[in-house]
Amino acid sequence: MTISTSPKTIADWQPRADRLPPTSAVSDFIQETLGLTTRLFIQLKRRPSTLVAGIVQPLMWLVLFGALFQNIPKDLFGTDYGHFLGAGVIVFTAFVGALNAGLPVMFDREFGFLNRLLVAPLASRYSIVAASAIYIIALTLLQVVAIVGLSALLGAGLPGFSGAAIILLVVFLLVVGVTSLSLGLTFALPGHIELIAVIFVANLPLLFASTALAPLSFMPPWLQTIACLNPLSYAIEPIRYIYTNPQWQWSSIILHAPWADVSFGAALLVLVGFAVISLLIIQPLLRRRLA
Amino acid sequence: MAAAVIVKNLRKSYGSSIAVQDVSFEVQAGEIFGLLGPNGAGKTTTIRCLCTLTKPDEGELEVAGVSVLKDPRSARSKLGYIAQEVAPDKVLTGREMMNLQAAIYHLPKAVANQRIEFLTSILGLTEHINKKTGGYSGGLLRRLDLAAGLLHQPEVLILDEPTVGLDIESRVVVWDFLRQLKSTGTTILLTSHYLEEVDALADRVGIIDAGKVIAMGTPSELKDRLGGERITLRIREFTTSAEADSTKDLLMKLPFVQDAIINANQGNSLNLVVQASDDALSKVQAALKSAGLPVFGIAQSRPSLDDVYLAATGKTLMDAEMATAGSRNLKAEKKQSMKN
C-alpha cells in the first residue's frame, strides 16, 4: 500500500488559502438537505427491497382486507367496503412509512455515522428531518399511485385533479408531522430496540382507533372520542370524501366528532397544526447534544 | 504563536463515573499535539467535548479562536474530526461519501470536485473512489475518512486513535501523511495509546491518566526531565526470577545505578536506571563478568515515553492497558457516548 505516485503533493494543499465566500443559512440548509436526501435515494436504489415490499404490502391490504367484508350490505358503508377502505390504506401507508423514518437514523446513530453529521456545521438539524420527510413523501407517493391505480381497477374510480392535489397535501402534512415525531424519538430513546418497541406499540392501535377500517358511527362513544383525537382520522376523511363526492367544498362536513362537526377545511387545518406542533416539540431533542 | 486549541479545566462525568477529572492543555497553531494515555484515560471524552459531540460539565474549550460552547457551529466549521471507529455507509461509494461530506460542509460543487480529486489522488484512493465502501479494507477506510475530514480544509484536524487496528504498513502511511499535512500549516491534535506513534509524530505530548494530565512537554523534554539513561539487560534468554533478583541486588550496589526493575513480561529482563555516562555499559558488563554471569543481550537507551508514564503513575502503559481492559464496560460506554 503506497500513497500517490502522482505529481501532486500535499504541498499544494493550502488550508485557509482559498477561504470560500460566506453562504446564506437558507442555501446551506437546502444544500445539506439535498445531500442527505441523495444518500437515502442511493440506498433505496441499491437496496430496492424496501420499495418492492412497500408497494406490495398496501396492495395486499387493499385486496385481502377489502375482501374480508365483501358481502356486507352496501348501505352500511355507503359504498363497497373495498372502496371505503382505499383512503384508510393510503393514509396508513404514509403513516407507517413516516413512523419508521427514525430507524435508519437510529442505526446511523448506533454505528457512529450520525456523528459525521453532528460535527458538521449544519445550518440546522432540521435538515435531517427534512431529508427523511422528503424521502418518505416520495416513497409514499409511489405507493399511493399503486393504491389509487389498483382501487380504480377494483372500480373505485379515479380522484380528479383537485382530488389528487388534496391527497398530495394530506400525505405531505401527515408525513412531516409523523416523521418529525419519529426522529424526535430517535434522538431521545437509548437505542433501536426501544424505538422499535415504540413503533410496534403505536402502529396498529392508532390504525384501529381511527376511521381507517370503519366509520365513526360503528364505534362506541369512547372510541369515537379517541378516533376524533387521532390525527389519522383527519387525514383519512378528506381523502375518503373526495373519492365519493367529486363536488367537494371546503365547508363540506366530513366528520361528526362528538363535540362538533368537522368541515373539510377544518380537517386540513388540524393536520397543519399537527405538523407544526410536531416540528416544534422535537426542537429541544435535536439540540440536546449541544446545538 | 497563537493557540489553535485550548482546553481549560475540562470536567465530564457520566453518572457516577468520572471520565475527565481536570484536563487542561493548549495546542499551538501548526503543531502536532499528541494526547497519550491508556484506554479509558479520558482521551476520547476530551476529544468528543472539543468536537461538540459531548457537552462538558465544566471547562472552557476553544478551537481556532472560537469558543466551542458559545459558538459550536462556527467551531465545527473550523475543525475536522476523524473518529476512532470508522463508520462508513457500506452502500455508498467513496465518491458519494465525499459528496455528502461536501454537502454538509456547504462546499460549492466545483470546489468540492476539485478537492475530492486532489485528496483522492494524494491519499492513493483514485482507483477505489468509485467503488462501494463496503468492500474497502481498514486502511482504505481510514484514508477515505482522512480525505472526508479534510475536505473543508479545517484549520484544526482532530484524530481519535488514528491508526488503531491498522497494519504496520497502513500505519506508516497515515503517519507520513500527517507529517506532510503539518507542513502545510494544519494544526493536528491526536490521541493515541501507542507510545511509538506519539513519539514519532508529536511535537508536544500531554500524558493523560485517569482523567488528568500528568505530564506535558516535547517528547525529549519529558524524557530529559526524567533524567538518566536506561540499560536493558538480559543475562539469559529466559532468566529465572531468583537469578534476576540476585543480579538486581548485585547491580544495585554499583554507585551509578539508581534503580532496577525486573520485567517479568520480558523473560525477567532487568531495566536499570543509570546516571548518564559513557562507560555505564562497560561497567555493568565488567560487574557481571566478575560475578561469573553471562550476558544474552544488553542495550543502553534514553528514557522512553513509557518511562515517563511509569515515573508519573508507577505503572507502565502496557500494565495500565491490561488493568483497564478487564474493568471497562465498553457497551455501557458506547451507550453513554450516544446519550450525551
Side-chain angles (χ1 to χ4, degrees), chain B residues 84-123:
Chain B
Q84 182 170 348
E85 277 174 68
V86 192
D89 183 332
K90 290 180 194 164
V91 181
L92 299 191
T93 66
R95 185 180 300 283
E96 287 158 352
M97 196 55 244
M98 295 291 277
N99 285 338
L100 172 62
Q101 193 81 12
I104 59 178
Y105 283 88
H106 316 117
L107 299 180
K109 194 79 196 142
V111 175
N113 285 341
Q114 195 190 338
R115 290 190 191 171
I116 291 170
E117 207 258 319
F118 177 81
L119 286 165
T120 8
S121 144
I122 57 165
L123 280 159

mmCIF file of all heavy atoms in Angstrom, chain B residues 84-123:
data_model
loop_
_atom_site.group_PDB
_atom_site.id
_atom_site.type_symbol
_atom_site.label_atom_id
_atom_site.label_comp_id
_atom_site.label_asym_id
_atom_site.label_seq_id
_atom_site.Cartn_x
_atom_site.Cartn_y
_atom_site.Cartn_z
ATOM 1 N N GLN B 84 -12.594 7.482 16.057
ATOM 2 C CA GLN B 84 -11.845 6.251 16.281
ATOM 3 C C GLN B 84 -12.433 5.107 15.469
ATOM 4 O O GLN B 84 -11.729 4.351 14.817
ATOM 5 C CB GLN B 84 -11.893 5.931 17.766
ATOM 6 C CG GLN B 84 -11.111 4.703 18.144
ATOM 7 C CD GLN B 84 -11.000 4.585 19.658
ATOM 8 O OE1 GLN B 84 -11.316 5.514 20.392
ATOM 9 N NE2 GLN B 84 -10.569 3.454 20.129
ATOM 10 N N GLU B 85 -13.764 4.992 15.538
ATOM 11 C CA GLU B 85 -14.399 3.936 14.777
ATOM 12 C C GLU B 85 -14.858 4.522 13.457
ATOM 13 O O GLU B 85 -15.661 5.445 13.435
ATOM 14 C CB GLU B 85 -15.632 3.413 15.516
ATOM 15 C CG GLU B 85 -15.299 2.403 16.569
ATOM 16 C CD GLU B 85 -16.531 2.034 17.361
ATOM 17 O OE1 GLU B 85 -17.434 1.400 16.781
ATOM 18 O OE2 GLU B 85 -16.599 2.405 18.535
ATOM 19 N N VAL B 86 -14.338 3.998 12.374
ATOM 20 C CA VAL B 86 -14.771 4.492 11.080
ATOM 21 C C VAL B 86 -16.181 3.976 10.836
ATOM 22 O O VAL B 86 -16.456 2.797 11.026
ATOM 23 C CB VAL B 86 -13.837 3.985 9.968
ATOM 24 C CG1 VAL B 86 -14.105 4.722 8.686
ATOM 25 C CG2 VAL B 86 -12.401 4.152 10.377
ATOM 26 N N ALA B 87 -17.061 4.864 10.489
ATOM 27 C CA ALA B 87 -18.441 4.453 10.249
ATOM 28 C C ALA B 87 -18.827 4.766 8.813
ATOM 29 O O ALA B 87 -19.320 5.835 8.520
ATOM 30 C CB ALA B 87 -19.377 5.179 11.222
ATOM 31 N N PRO B 88 -18.533 3.831 7.918
ATOM 32 C CA PRO B 88 -18.874 4.099 6.535
ATOM 33 C C PRO B 88 -20.319 3.694 6.258
ATOM 34 O O PRO B 88 -20.894 2.912 7.005
ATOM 35 C CB PRO B 88 -17.928 3.182 5.768
ATOM 36 C CG PRO B 88 -17.753 2.006 6.672
ATOM 37 C CD PRO B 88 -17.947 2.482 8.081
ATOM 38 N N ASP B 89 -20.895 4.275 5.233
ATOM 39 C CA ASP B 89 -22.162 3.766 4.735
ATOM 40 C C ASP B 89 -21.768 2.801 3.622
ATOM 41 O O ASP B 89 -21.337 3.214 2.553
ATOM 42 C CB ASP B 89 -23.007 4.926 4.197
ATOM 43 C CG ASP B 89 -24.367 4.442 3.722
ATOM 44 O OD1 ASP B 89 -24.467 3.264 3.315
ATOM 45 O OD2 ASP B 89 -25.309 5.239 3.750
ATOM 46 N N LYS B 90 -21.901 1.504 3.916
ATOM 47 C CA LYS B 90 -21.369 0.492 3.004
ATOM 48 C C LYS B 90 -21.957 0.545 1.610
ATOM 49 O O LYS B 90 -21.374 0.062 0.653
ATOM 50 C CB LYS B 90 -21.653 -0.902 3.573
ATOM 51 C CG LYS B 90 -20.856 -1.212 4.797
ATOM 52 C CD LYS B 90 -21.207 -2.601 5.280
ATOM 53 C CE LYS B 90 -20.690 -2.806 6.697
ATOM 54 N NZ LYS B 90 -21.305 -3.949 7.331
ATOM 55 N N VAL B 91 -23.174 1.109 1.518
ATOM 56 C CA VAL B 91 -23.868 1.124 0.232
ATOM 57 C C VAL B 91 -23.321 2.218 -0.681
ATOM 58 O O VAL B 91 -23.412 2.124 -1.891
ATOM 59 C CB VAL B 91 -25.380 1.317 0.480
ATOM 60 C CG1 VAL B 91 -26.143 1.327 -0.813
ATOM 61 C CG2 VAL B 91 -25.894 0.224 1.387
ATOM 62 N N LEU B 92 -22.732 3.247 -0.081
ATOM 63 C CA LEU B 92 -22.246 4.371 -0.883
ATOM 64 C C LEU B 92 -20.834 4.097 -1.398
ATOM 65 O O LEU B 92 -20.058 3.389 -0.760
ATOM 66 C CB LEU B 92 -22.202 5.646 -0.046
ATOM 67 C CG LEU B 92 -23.486 6.182 0.561
ATOM 68 C CD1 LEU B 92 -23.234 7.580 1.110
ATOM 69 C CD2 LEU B 92 -24.607 6.227 -0.445
ATOM 70 N N THR B 93 -20.507 4.697 -2.532
ATOM 71 C CA THR B 93 -19.130 4.647 -2.999
ATOM 72 C C THR B 93 -18.340 5.719 -2.257
ATOM 73 O O THR B 93 -18.919 6.609 -1.624
ATOM 74 C CB THR B 93 -19.030 4.940 -4.508
ATOM 75 O OG1 THR B 93 -19.431 6.300 -4.725
ATOM 76 C CG2 THR B 93 -19.915 4.020 -5.319
ATOM 77 N N GLY B 94 -17.022 5.622 -2.351
ATOM 78 C CA GLY B 94 -16.187 6.629 -1.718
ATOM 79 C C GLY B 94 -16.549 8.029 -2.197
ATOM 80 O O GLY B 94 -16.628 8.964 -1.408
ATOM 81 N N ARG B 95 -16.795 8.138 -3.484
ATOM 82 C CA ARG B 95 -17.104 9.457 -4.030
ATOM 83 C C ARG B 95 -18.432 9.988 -3.494
ATOM 84 O O ARG B 95 -18.555 11.164 -3.140
ATOM 85 C CB ARG B 95 -17.133 9.422 -5.561
ATOM 86 C CG ARG B 95 -17.342 10.799 -6.186
ATOM 87 C CD ARG B 95 -17.373 10.749 -7.697
ATOM 88 N NE ARG B 95 -16.143 10.228 -8.280
ATOM 89 C CZ ARG B 95 -15.011 10.932 -8.399
ATOM 90 N NH1 ARG B 95 -14.968 12.180 -7.984
ATOM 91 N NH2 ARG B 95 -13.957 10.394 -8.927
ATOM 92 N N GLU B 96 -19.422 9.104 -3.413
ATOM 93 C CA GLU B 96 -20.730 9.536 -2.893
ATOM 94 C C GLU B 96 -20.620 9.989 -1.441
ATOM 95 O O GLU B 96 -21.250 10.954 -1.006
ATOM 96 C CB GLU B 96 -21.753 8.402 -3.040
ATOM 97 C CG GLU B 96 -22.190 8.203 -4.480
ATOM 98 C CD GLU B 96 -22.747 6.820 -4.775
ATOM 99 O OE1 GLU B 96 -22.656 5.936 -3.894
ATOM 100 O OE2 GLU B 96 -23.245 6.619 -5.894
ATOM 101 N N MET B 97 -19.779 9.260 -0.712
ATOM 102 C CA MET B 97 -19.492 9.624 0.674
ATOM 103 C C MET B 97 -18.904 11.035 0.745
ATOM 104 O O MET B 97 -19.301 11.864 1.565
ATOM 105 C CB MET B 97 -18.481 8.582 1.137
ATOM 106 C CG MET B 97 -18.211 8.399 2.563
ATOM 107 S SD MET B 97 -19.647 8.093 3.480
ATOM 108 C CE MET B 97 -19.535 9.564 4.440
ATOM 109 N N MET B 98 -17.940 11.287 -0.138
ATOM 110 C CA MET B 98 -17.281 12.595 -0.173
ATOM 111 C C MET B 98 -18.262 13.692 -0.604
ATOM 112 O O MET B 98 -18.206 14.811 -0.104
ATOM 113 C CB MET B 98 -16.087 12.562 -1.134
ATOM 114 C CG MET B 98 -14.970 11.639 -0.719
ATOM 115 S SD MET B 98 -14.102 12.233 0.741
ATOM 116 C CE MET B 98 -12.977 13.391 0.010
ATOM 117 N N ASN B 99 -19.139 13.344 -1.547
ATOM 118 C CA ASN B 99 -20.128 14.333 -1.984
ATOM 119 C C ASN B 99 -21.053 14.725 -0.835
ATOM 120 O O ASN B 99 -21.412 15.891 -0.673
ATOM 121 C CB ASN B 99 -20.965 13.787 -3.143
ATOM 122 C CG ASN B 99 -20.186 13.776 -4.447
ATOM 123 O OD1 ASN B 99 -19.207 14.523 -4.596
ATOM 124 N ND2 ASN B 99 -20.584 12.922 -5.379
ATOM 125 N N LEU B 100 -21.439 13.719 -0.035
ATOM 126 C CA LEU B 100 -22.278 14.014 1.127
ATOM 127 C C LEU B 100 -21.519 14.921 2.094
ATOM 128 O O LEU B 100 -22.051 15.911 2.606
ATOM 129 C CB LEU B 100 -22.684 12.710 1.828
ATOM 130 C CG LEU B 100 -23.409 12.880 3.167
ATOM 131 C CD1 LEU B 100 -24.719 13.636 2.972
ATOM 132 C CD2 LEU B 100 -23.692 11.528 3.814
ATOM 133 N N GLN B 101 -20.252 14.584 2.306
ATOM 134 C CA GLN B 101 -19.427 15.391 3.195
ATOM 135 C C GLN B 101 -19.365 16.841 2.683
ATOM 136 O O GLN B 101 -19.480 17.779 3.462
ATOM 137 C CB GLN B 101 -18.017 14.777 3.249
ATOM 138 C CG GLN B 101 -17.138 15.307 4.349
ATOM 139 C CD GLN B 101 -17.413 14.667 5.703
ATOM 140 O OE1 GLN B 101 -18.121 13.656 5.783
ATOM 141 N NE2 GLN B 101 -16.896 15.260 6.765
ATOM 142 N N ALA B 102 -19.206 16.997 1.381
ATOM 143 C CA ALA B 102 -19.149 18.340 0.790
ATOM 144 C C ALA B 102 -20.458 19.086 1.024
ATOM 145 O O ALA B 102 -20.466 20.290 1.294
ATOM 146 C CB ALA B 102 -18.851 18.253 -0.702
ATOM 147 N N ALA B 103 -21.567 18.343 0.948
ATOM 148 C CA ALA B 103 -22.887 18.991 1.116
ATOM 149 C C ALA B 103 -23.095 19.461 2.550
ATOM 150 O O ALA B 103 -23.616 20.550 2.784
ATOM 151 C CB ALA B 103 -24.000 18.028 0.706
ATOM 152 N N ILE B 104 -22.659 18.634 3.525
ATOM 153 C CA ILE B 104 -22.909 19.048 4.905
ATOM 154 C C ILE B 104 -21.897 20.098 5.372
ATOM 155 O O ILE B 104 -22.057 20.679 6.433
ATOM 156 C CB ILE B 104 -22.974 17.850 5.885
ATOM 157 C CG1 ILE B 104 -21.686 17.039 5.883
ATOM 158 C CG2 ILE B 104 -24.157 16.958 5.564
ATOM 159 C CD1 ILE B 104 -21.700 15.872 6.865
ATOM 160 N N TYR B 105 -20.850 20.318 4.566
ATOM 161 C CA TYR B 105 -19.939 21.423 4.857
ATOM 162 C C TYR B 105 -20.143 22.581 3.880
ATOM 163 O O TYR B 105 -19.335 23.501 3.819
ATOM 164 C CB TYR B 105 -18.475 20.950 4.865
ATOM 165 C CG TYR B 105 -18.125 20.209 6.139
ATOM 166 C CD1 TYR B 105 -18.334 18.845 6.242
ATOM 167 C CD2 TYR B 105 -17.640 20.889 7.262
ATOM 168 C CE1 TYR B 105 -18.048 18.171 7.426
ATOM 169 C CE2 TYR B 105 -17.354 20.224 8.434
ATOM 170 C CZ TYR B 105 -17.553 18.865 8.516
ATOM 171 O OH TYR B 105 -17.277 18.209 9.692
ATOM 172 N N HIS B 106 -21.199 22.489 3.073
ATOM 173 C CA HIS B 106 -21.635 23.593 2.211
ATOM 174 C C HIS B 106 -20.567 24.062 1.234
ATOM 175 O O HIS B 106 -20.350 25.262 1.063
ATOM 176 C CB HIS B 106 -22.110 24.773 3.060
ATOM 177 C CG HIS B 106 -22.989 24.354 4.204
ATOM 178 N ND1 HIS B 106 -22.667 24.543 5.519
ATOM 179 C CD2 HIS B 106 -24.177 23.706 4.220
ATOM 180 C CE1 HIS B 106 -23.599 24.045 6.302
ATOM 181 N NE2 HIS B 106 -24.538 23.528 5.544
ATOM 182 N N LEU B 107 -19.869 23.100 0.605
ATOM 183 C CA LEU B 107 -18.884 23.494 -0.403
ATOM 184 C C LEU B 107 -19.577 23.619 -1.756
ATOM 185 O O LEU B 107 -20.419 22.793 -2.103
ATOM 186 C CB LEU B 107 -17.780 22.435 -0.514
ATOM 187 C CG LEU B 107 -16.943 22.160 0.728
ATOM 188 C CD1 LEU B 107 -15.905 21.093 0.425
ATOM 189 C CD2 LEU B 107 -16.259 23.432 1.205
ATOM 190 N N PRO B 108 -19.196 24.649 -2.517
ATOM 191 C CA PRO B 108 -19.746 24.726 -3.881
ATOM 192 C C PRO B 108 -19.271 23.510 -4.687
ATOM 193 O O PRO B 108 -18.176 23.000 -4.457
ATOM 194 C CB PRO B 108 -19.133 26.009 -4.448
ATOM 195 C CG PRO B 108 -18.569 26.751 -3.290
ATOM 196 C CD PRO B 108 -18.314 25.764 -2.198
ATOM 197 N N LYS B 109 -20.107 23.085 -5.619
ATOM 198 C CA LYS B 109 -19.847 21.862 -6.389
ATOM 199 C C LYS B 109 -18.447 21.834 -7.014
ATOM 200 O O LYS B 109 -17.718 20.845 -6.895
ATOM 201 C CB LYS B 109 -20.924 21.743 -7.486
ATOM 202 C CG LYS B 109 -20.978 20.382 -8.145
ATOM 203 C CD LYS B 109 -21.711 19.360 -7.271
ATOM 204 C CE LYS B 109 -21.395 17.956 -7.758
ATOM 205 N NZ LYS B 109 -21.233 16.985 -6.679
ATOM 206 N N ALA B 110 -18.086 22.941 -7.658
ATOM 207 C CA ALA B 110 -16.806 22.959 -8.386
ATOM 208 C C ALA B 110 -15.634 22.811 -7.413
ATOM 209 O O ALA B 110 -14.703 22.041 -7.656
ATOM 210 C CB ALA B 110 -16.676 24.255 -9.178
ATOM 211 N N VAL B 111 -15.712 23.541 -6.299
ATOM 212 C CA VAL B 111 -14.643 23.473 -5.299
ATOM 213 C C VAL B 111 -14.562 22.052 -4.735
ATOM 214 O O VAL B 111 -13.480 21.477 -4.590
ATOM 215 C CB VAL B 111 -14.915 24.478 -4.154
ATOM 216 C CG1 VAL B 111 -13.866 24.328 -3.051
ATOM 217 C CG2 VAL B 111 -14.928 25.897 -4.686
ATOM 218 N N ALA B 112 -15.749 21.496 -4.435
ATOM 219 C CA ALA B 112 -15.794 20.151 -3.858
ATOM 220 C C ALA B 112 -15.139 19.149 -4.810
ATOM 221 O O ALA B 112 -14.284 18.366 -4.400
ATOM 222 C CB ALA B 112 -17.234 19.760 -3.566
ATOM 223 N N ASN B 113 -15.517 19.202 -6.072
ATOM 224 C CA ASN B 113 -14.968 18.243 -7.039
ATOM 225 C C ASN B 113 -13.457 18.343 -7.132
ATOM 226 O O ASN B 113 -12.747 17.339 -7.167
ATOM 227 C CB ASN B 113 -15.579 18.477 -8.423
ATOM 228 C CG ASN B 113 -16.999 17.953 -8.483
ATOM 229 O OD1 ASN B 113 -17.398 17.140 -7.649
ATOM 230 N ND2 ASN B 113 -17.770 18.434 -9.433
ATOM 231 N N GLN B 114 -12.989 19.573 -7.142
ATOM 232 C CA GLN B 114 -11.555 19.805 -7.255
ATOM 233 C C GLN B 114 -10.827 19.234 -6.035
ATOM 234 O O GLN B 114 -9.808 18.546 -6.158
ATOM 235 C CB GLN B 114 -11.361 21.317 -7.342
ATOM 236 C CG GLN B 114 -10.016 21.764 -7.818
ATOM 237 C CD GLN B 114 -9.897 23.273 -7.619
ATOM 238 O OE1 GLN B 114 -10.900 23.990 -7.514
ATOM 239 N NE2 GLN B 114 -8.671 23.750 -7.546
ATOM 240 N N ARG B 115 -11.382 19.488 -4.859
ATOM 241 C CA ARG B 115 -10.722 18.995 -3.641
ATOM 242 C C ARG B 115 -10.832 17.476 -3.526
ATOM 243 O O ARG B 115 -9.896 16.826 -3.052
ATOM 244 C CB ARG B 115 -11.350 19.641 -2.408
ATOM 245 C CG ARG B 115 -11.018 21.102 -2.283
ATOM 246 C CD ARG B 115 -11.449 21.629 -0.947
ATOM 247 N NE ARG B 115 -11.375 23.082 -0.918
ATOM 248 C CZ ARG B 115 -11.862 23.826 0.067
ATOM 249 N NH1 ARG B 115 -12.474 23.248 1.091
ATOM 250 N NH2 ARG B 115 -11.763 25.130 0.036
ATOM 251 N N ILE B 116 -11.968 16.928 -3.924
ATOM 252 C CA ILE B 116 -12.123 15.467 -3.863
ATOM 253 C C ILE B 116 -11.074 14.823 -4.762
ATOM 254 O O ILE B 116 -10.387 13.880 -4.379
ATOM 255 C CB ILE B 116 -13.548 15.041 -4.281
ATOM 256 C CG1 ILE B 116 -14.565 15.475 -3.233
ATOM 257 C CG2 ILE B 116 -13.631 13.522 -4.476
ATOM 258 C CD1 ILE B 116 -16.016 15.324 -3.638
ATOM 259 N N GLU B 117 -10.934 15.391 -5.942
ATOM 260 C CA GLU B 117 -9.966 14.850 -6.888
ATOM 261 C C GLU B 117 -8.554 14.925 -6.308
ATOM 262 O O GLU B 117 -7.801 13.960 -6.334
ATOM 263 C CB GLU B 117 -10.071 15.650 -8.197
ATOM 264 C CG GLU B 117 -9.658 14.869 -9.438
ATOM 265 C CD GLU B 117 -8.268 15.260 -9.884
ATOM 266 O OE1 GLU B 117 -7.955 16.466 -9.855
ATOM 267 O OE2 GLU B 117 -7.496 14.353 -10.229
ATOM 268 N N PHE B 118 -8.248 16.059 -5.707
ATOM 269 C CA PHE B 118 -6.923 16.268 -5.122
ATOM 270 C C PHE B 118 -6.651 15.290 -3.982
ATOM 271 O O PHE B 118 -5.634 14.600 -3.947
ATOM 272 C CB PHE B 118 -6.810 17.718 -4.632
ATOM 273 C CG PHE B 118 -5.508 18.017 -3.961
ATOM 274 C CD1 PHE B 118 -4.376 18.294 -4.707
ATOM 275 C CD2 PHE B 118 -5.415 17.999 -2.578
ATOM 276 C CE1 PHE B 118 -3.161 18.554 -4.087
ATOM 277 C CE2 PHE B 118 -4.200 18.259 -1.949
ATOM 278 C CZ PHE B 118 -3.075 18.540 -2.709
ATOM 279 N N LEU B 119 -7.602 15.242 -3.036
ATOM 280 C CA LEU B 119 -7.390 14.403 -1.853
ATOM 281 C C LEU B 119 -7.339 12.915 -2.211
ATOM 282 O O LEU B 119 -6.544 12.163 -1.660
ATOM 283 C CB LEU B 119 -8.500 14.659 -0.820
ATOM 284 C CG LEU B 119 -8.387 15.980 -0.063
ATOM 285 C CD1 LEU B 119 -9.687 16.307 0.652
ATOM 286 C CD2 LEU B 119 -7.230 15.936 0.932
ATOM 287 N N THR B 120 -8.207 12.498 -3.138
ATOM 288 C CA THR B 120 -8.174 11.093 -3.550
ATOM 289 C C THR B 120 -6.829 10.766 -4.171
ATOM 290 O O THR B 120 -6.283 9.693 -3.942
ATOM 291 C CB THR B 120 -9.244 10.778 -4.618
ATOM 292 O OG1 THR B 120 -9.855 11.951 -5.047
ATOM 293 C CG2 THR B 120 -10.277 9.849 -4.142
ATOM 294 N N SER B 121 -6.321 11.709 -4.926
ATOM 295 C CA SER B 121 -5.055 11.448 -5.587
ATOM 296 C C SER B 121 -3.905 11.372 -4.575
ATOM 297 O O SER B 121 -3.120 10.428 -4.592
ATOM 298 C CB SER B 121 -4.833 12.513 -6.666
ATOM 299 O OG SER B 121 -3.496 12.853 -6.762
ATOM 300 N N ILE B 122 -3.812 12.347 -3.654
ATOM 301 C CA ILE B 122 -2.660 12.282 -2.739
ATOM 302 C C ILE B 122 -2.808 11.177 -1.702
ATOM 303 O O ILE B 122 -1.826 10.729 -1.133
ATOM 304 C CB ILE B 122 -2.348 13.616 -2.028
ATOM 305 C CG1 ILE B 122 -3.548 14.123 -1.257
ATOM 306 C CG2 ILE B 122 -1.830 14.659 -2.977
ATOM 307 C CD1 ILE B 122 -3.154 15.203 -0.285
ATOM 308 N N LEU B 123 -4.031 10.718 -1.456
ATOM 309 C CA LEU B 123 -4.193 9.630 -0.495
ATOM 310 C C LEU B 123 -4.242 8.261 -1.174
ATOM 311 O O LEU B 123 -4.526 7.247 -0.540
ATOM 312 C CB LEU B 123 -5.450 9.848 0.352
ATOM 313 C CG LEU B 123 -5.257 10.845 1.503
ATOM 314 C CD1 LEU B 123 -6.572 11.411 1.980
ATOM 315 C CD2 LEU B 123 -4.515 10.203 2.659
#
